[in-house]
Amino acid sequence: MTRLILRRLALLVPTLLGLSVLLFLWVRALPGGPATALLGERATPEAVSRINELYGFDRPLVEQYVTWLGQLVQGNFGVSTRTGRPVLDEFLARFPATIELSLVALLVAVGVGVPLGYLAARRQGKLIDHAAVVTSLLGVTIPVFFLAFLLKWLFAVQLDWFPSSGRQDPAMVATHPTGFYVLDGILTREWDAAWDAFVHLVLPALALGTIPLAIIARITRASVIDVQHADYVRTARAKGLSATHVRSRVILHNAMLPVATTIGLQVGLLLSGAVLTETVFAFPGVGKFLADAVFNLDYAVLQGFILLIAVVYALVNLMVDVSYGLIDPRMRTR
Amino acid sequence: MRNRWQIVAGGLVVGLALTACAASDRDPEGGADDGATSAGRDTFIFAASADPASLDPAFASDGESFRVARQIFEGLVGVEPGTADPAPLLAESWEVSDDGLEYTFALKEDVTFHDGTPFDAEAVCFNFERWNNFTGVLQSESLSYYWQKVNGGFASSDVETLDGTGKYESCEAVDASTAVVNLQSPLPELISALSLPSFSMQSPTALEEYDADGVTGDGEAPVLPEYATGHPTGTGPFTFESWSPGEEVVLSAYDEYWGEQGQVRRIVFPIISDATARRQALQAGDIDGYDLVGPADVVALEEAGFQIVNRDPFNVLYLGMNQANPDLAEPKVRQAIAHAINKEALVAQTLPEGTEVATNFVPPAVAGWNADVETYDYDPDRARTLLAEAGKSDLTIDFNYPTNVSRPYMPTPEQVFTAIEADLEAVGITVNPVPDPWNPEYLDKIQGGTEHGLHLLGWTGDYNDTYNFIGVFFGGASNEWGFDNPELFAAINDARYVADVDEQTAAYEEANAAILEFLPGVPLAHPVPSLAFKDDVQGYPASPVQDEVYNVITLGD
């Protein structure tokens, strides 16, 4: 197990290195320069060249890359040209928001997706099965941003059941020891604040969670159908185990293995979906800042954030694999 | 052992509890006014479109920074409410010597900064000296843009061309309430310029304590000091409370404020970068108001019961004619184009209600605006004749315009382009449309290169000064216009430093007439910028130069 973890961590290094080269070249290939974005519409050529000099955009590409990499190794992800603050600080300041949103979205996806898929498999060909198939088909076909707009227009603008934007009511005065607003409200016993933060999470989390929900439901359904006809299930039944035991222990346990992997993969999807969802709901997380960075040509933020997201994604996948190994003993010997 | 129903039920509870119970809270009460703003109606929530660039206004030149700065800080000079004209603020009055070199400010007494530091002549001189002695990175335009623009330079500069070019010489604190600023050469726009938030008075104590000039970073990139990110200290009606980047800026009332405090005790600027999201936040009752309302949204919001507040226009939208293009270098062609455009129809069809048709490159509120300039009235026949005279009856011309952008002076560039295109084609000019995204392609093409023909652009003024418009456009040769007319440049640049106000106004009037005679482009309109508010927000102090301080606003219950 330890070797698995170490090997995976070692593999992370070349992966990130390759990604860093791609990112660097991609960002440089974007049209225009950050100086005009920074200085505005009446910038003189002298001012533009001064900014380029200041930020090093005028030096040879290889030199820029090596400099950047050297700083990365020391934990220096550069400075946002837009806010003038370290990229790592900007990332860490927004990361709790995105985690909180992703967790709730994941909760929605797993909490609804798994039972839905399971029910559909057990009632194959019945109404609930058809409903589940249609739901999951819709879920994967509707683009995230469209769903986000739809949810917002209906439940925030028209019905006013939920707030339309942000992480908390602007009029709310609350303290944030951890940066996870719901948790903060609970820790500080500011129940209003906890509730308010939660209410702000609902629509974005629904928008963000729908695709993973659909995928998880489909995989669960397929997996349960697969497993319930397996030989060992028949054997278990033949050995006289109770129907309940077979369903909950044998079928569910074995059917959950591919579902666990799928859930792990969805975490990556959540992070990329967060860019769109957070933008629509003006939810101040990593995704929205990244989207803003695209419009502002904030090179350092683009490079740094995508790299940091990649690290998070890789670490989450590693954790998924480790937990997979805990569930499935066969993994451990490999 | 759990059975499957327990598992299913558990999952459903987790999943559905989120939606069901959350909905039940806001639903029964309904109504747009509860929830978000019911918690005591002394909080004013105004959506910002971006984070401030810096909370230290001396390092800012963007509208969002200024919006926040205007609540926290005050300058020596303010503006008359609703106009762009300078008015006393922290200086109760001022005298300018006949040679235009000595400015004596009589300061308001019994004013304190938010940290308790008294506001006095020493503090005034501290601020002037600070601006003039910025060094290194602090001299970059992304930080001290306005001091550089207005003063012309710094005490010393590592950029040779800027060394010793500043107009500021010294500042004396004669007594606690009298500060004298001495200049090396006249700068008549100084008083107007001092109304800019960049020249706000800041607490010397706080500036030193939080290392305001300590921009760090290893030369690779500036990192703003603690002062500019978390300790702005001024004399205004609101004090800084918190800034969560990307999320919100929060201010609260300053109890020791020297003036009227008003009803608003707390201001929150939630940051909502998307224009549609700002409109929806207002419709959902999450915010009290927002700026830069799209013309298309104005009618819809009004019909839904929201208030639309218009600022007096302090901008100009123009059609540029790049003379690097040989066809446009021909004066008769430029005149023909000017006569071909139906400006009244253009304004009626594509710009917000209340927009004025432009005749000068400055708005009428600015000194030096000239009623007697050549106006090139709409006359398609004349346009055709002029084209024939120039031998260009079958003219084909590139027309650059930006896409996906909304500027205060140009809310819908595509529509403006379409209207002008139709006018030009009507007189026999074939238009070759060249659309480009605003940033960076469009601006790069127009300002960075010579490869463009006709183009749409404009400008919103910073303060009441003619040079701030025509100097920006025609102060010297540039890629945008592609002509070199030393006489015109000299006329404009000389007018800038005429010490006597009346003489200066006359000089600017002449310059404006000369510009329209030469016709480098066609001024089109002065569009009205709109703000939108909930119906119970009263007394928003709309200002052409956006000098809008929220202590005068009243909020309903």
Side-chain angles (χ1 to χ4, degrees), chain B residues 9-22:
Chain B
L12 285 176
V13 165
V14 173
L16 296 179
L18 299 171
T19 52
C21 54

Side-chain angles (χ1 to χ4, degrees), chain B residues 184-274:
Chain B
Q184 295 181 23
S185 55
L187 181 62
E189 72 200 60
L190 179 66
I191 290 295
S192 277
L194 286 178
S195 67
L196 277 170
S198 300
F199 306 131
S200 299
M201 291 294 124
Q202 311 197 35
S203 162
T205 321
L207 286 171
E208 281 182 337
E209 185 179 351
Y210 300 107
D211 195 22
D213 297 343
V215 175
T216 55
D218 47 4
E220 283 290 317
V223 177
L224 289 177
E226 211 187 337
Y227 181 82
T229 57
H231 299 279
T233 312
T235 61
F238 297 95
T239 66
F240 174 76
E241 197 173 301
S242 68
W243 176 17
S244 322
E247 188 172 357
E248 60 182 23
V249 176
V250 182
L251 313 178
S252 53
Y254 173 47
D255 290 324
E256 311 296 316
Y257 183 56
W258 58 269
E260 288 290 315
Q261 185 50 260
Q263 183 191 346
V264 176
R265 301 291 301 166
R266 196 156 175 269
I267 303 172
V268 184
F269 294 102
I271 290 141
I272 307 177
S273 47
D274 181 63

Side-chain angles (χ1 to χ4, degrees), chain B residues 463-475:
Chain B
Y463 49 92
N464 194 346
D465 176 62
T466 322
Y467 191 83
N468 187 248
F469 285 88
I470 60 174
V472 171
F473 308 145
F474 311 119

Side-chain angles (χ1 to χ4, degrees), chain A residues 31-33 36-44 47 50-51 54-56 59 67 71 76 79 82-86 90 94 104 107-108 111-112 115 118-119 122-123 149 152-153 156-157 160-165 167-173 181 195 198-199 202 206 244-245 247-249 252 279-280 282 284 288-289 292 295 297, chain B residues 1-5 7-8 11-12 14-15 18-19 21-23 25-27 30-32 35-37 43 45 51 53 136-137 139-142 148-149 159 162 218-224 229 245-248 266 268 270-273 277 280-281 283-284 286 318 407 409 438-441 443-444 447 457-459 472-473 480:
Chain A
T36 37
L38 194 67
L39 295 175
E41 54 206 83
R42 297 281 171 187
T44 59
R50 252 173 106 179
I51 285 293
L54 188 67
Y55 289 92
R59 293 188 217 137
T67 312
Q71 289 167 342
N76 177 0
V79 171
R82 192 163 65 95
T83 65
R85 300 187 321 161
E90 299 284 14
R94 288 167 178 79
V104 178
L107 223 59
V108 173
V112 180
Y118 183 79
L119 272 180
R122 298 292 301 164
R123 297 264 189 284
F149 272 121
K152 181 172 155 181
W153 179 80
V157 178
D160 193 35
W161 289 357
F162 295 97
S164 70
S165 54
R167 279 187 85 187
Q168 73 173 14
D169 181 346
M172 177 76 66
V173 185
Y181 283 11
W195 178 251
F198 177 71
V199 169
V202 173
L206 277 180
T244 318
H245 185 93
R247 278 187 215 119
S248 65
R249 291 292 300 164
L252 200 59
T279 303
V280 172
K288 177 168 170 288
F289 200 67
D292 290 346
F295 291 113
L297 299 176
Chain B
M1 188 185 297
R2 289 178 301 170
N3 68 30
R4 65 187 160 134
W5 290 114
I7 297 169
V8 171
L12 285 176
V14 173
L18 299 171
T19 52
C21 54
D25 176 57
R26 283 170 74 99
D27 187 21
T37 49
T43 298
I45 304 166
D51 276 303
V137 177
Q139 292 185 1
S140 107
E141 283 196 20
S142 63
Q148 197 164 322
K149 280 288 160 202
V159 177
L162 284 175
D218 47 4
E220 283 290 317
V223 177
L224 289 177
T229 57
E247 188 172 357
E248 60 182 23
R266 196 156 175 269
V268 184
I271 290 141
I272 307 177
S273 47
Q280 292 184 330
Q283 289 171 319
D286 299 343
Y318 59 75
R407 309 295 295 172
Y409 52 78
W438 174 253
N439 195 4
E441 287 88 348
L443 290 172
D444 264 5
Q447 292 168 345
L457 213 55
W459 179 247
V472 171
F473 308 145
E480 178 174 355

Side-chain angles (χ1 to χ4, degrees), chain B residues 381-426:
Chain B
D381 291 333
R382 182 87 199 282
R384 282 186 210 100
T385 312
L386 282 163
L387 284 171
E389 283 174 18
K392 307 272 184 188
S393 292
D394 55 348
L395 183 63
T396 299
I397 196 108
D398 282 353
F399 192 152
N400 302 72
Y401 66 98
T403 56
N404 288 325
V405 69
S406 180
R407 309 295 295 172
Y409 52 78
M410 181 169 60
T412 51
E414 291 94 339
Q415 290 181 18
V416 175
F417 161 77
T418 310
I420 297 178
E421 180 193 35
D423 284 344
L424 295 181
E425 305 238 317

Side-chain angles (χ1 to χ4, degrees), chain A residues 1-243:
Chain A
M1 203 66 197
T2 320
R3 275 187 59 200
L4 171 85
I5 297 174
L6 286 177
R7 205 177 62 210
R8 288 289 301 274
L9 284 176
L11 265 175
L12 194 57
V13 175
T15 310
L16 289 178
L17 216 57
L19 179 67
S20 74
V21 174
L22 285 178
L23 267 177
F24 181 83
L25 292 177
W26 169 69
V27 164
R28 259 50 183 191
L30 291 173
T36 37
L38 194 67
L39 295 175
E41 54 206 83
R42 297 281 171 187
T44 59
E46 296 84 57
V48 169
S49 65
R50 252 173 106 179
I51 285 293
N52 283 336
E53 201 183 318
L54 188 67
Y55 289 92
F57 295 131
D58 55 343
R59 293 188 217 137
L61 274 186
V62 177
E63 193 191 323
Q64 285 188 51
Y65 176 73
V66 172
T67 312
W68 180 53
L69 203 64
Q71 289 167 342
L72 278 188
V73 175
Q74 299 162 34
N76 177 0
F77 284 76
V79 171
S80 160
T81 45
R82 192 163 65 95
T83 65
R85 300 187 321 161
V87 169
L88 192 60
D89 290 1
E90 299 284 14
F91 186 85
L92 294 177
R94 288 167 178 79
F95 199 45
T98 301
I99 297 204
E100 198 172 35
L101 174 60
S102 302
L103 274 180
V104 178
L106 196 66
L107 223 59
V108 173
V110 176
V112 180
V114 170
L116 191 65
Y118 183 79
L119 272 180
R122 298 292 301 164
R123 297 264 189 284
Q124 216 182 329
K126 303 266 172 55
L127 187 64
I128 178 107
D129 186 26
H130 295 307
V133 171
V134 172
T135 307
S136 58
L137 196 65
L138 274 179
V140 286
T141 20
I142 297 179
V144 178
F145 73 91
F146 178 71
L147 185 67
F149 272 121
L150 196 72
L151 287 172
K152 181 172 155 181
W153 179 80
L154 186 63
F155 293 108
V157 178
Q158 296 299 320
L159 297 171
D160 193 35
W161 289 357
F162 295 97
S164 70
S165 54
R167 279 187 85 187
Q168 73 173 14
D169 181 346
M172 177 76 66
V173 185
T175 45
H176 298 295
T178 69
F180 298 93
Y181 283 11
V182 177
L183 184 67
D184 286 340
I186 294 169
L187 288 178
T188 57
R189 295 176 192 279
E190 293 166 0
W191 307 115
D192 282 2
W195 178 251
D196 176 66
F198 177 71
V199 169
H200 276 81
L201 281 169
V202 173
L203 292 182
L206 277 180
L208 189 55
T210 299
I211 290 183
L213 184 155
I215 293 171
I216 289 170
R218 275 170 62 168
I219 299 290
T220 308
R221 178 177 176 275
S223 179
V224 171
I225 289 174
D226 221 30
V227 168
Q228 65 193 357
H229 299 299
D231 289 345
Y232 55 82
V233 174
R234 206 175 45 197
T235 310
R237 288 214 179 91
K239 280 167 73 181
L241 290 173
S242 76

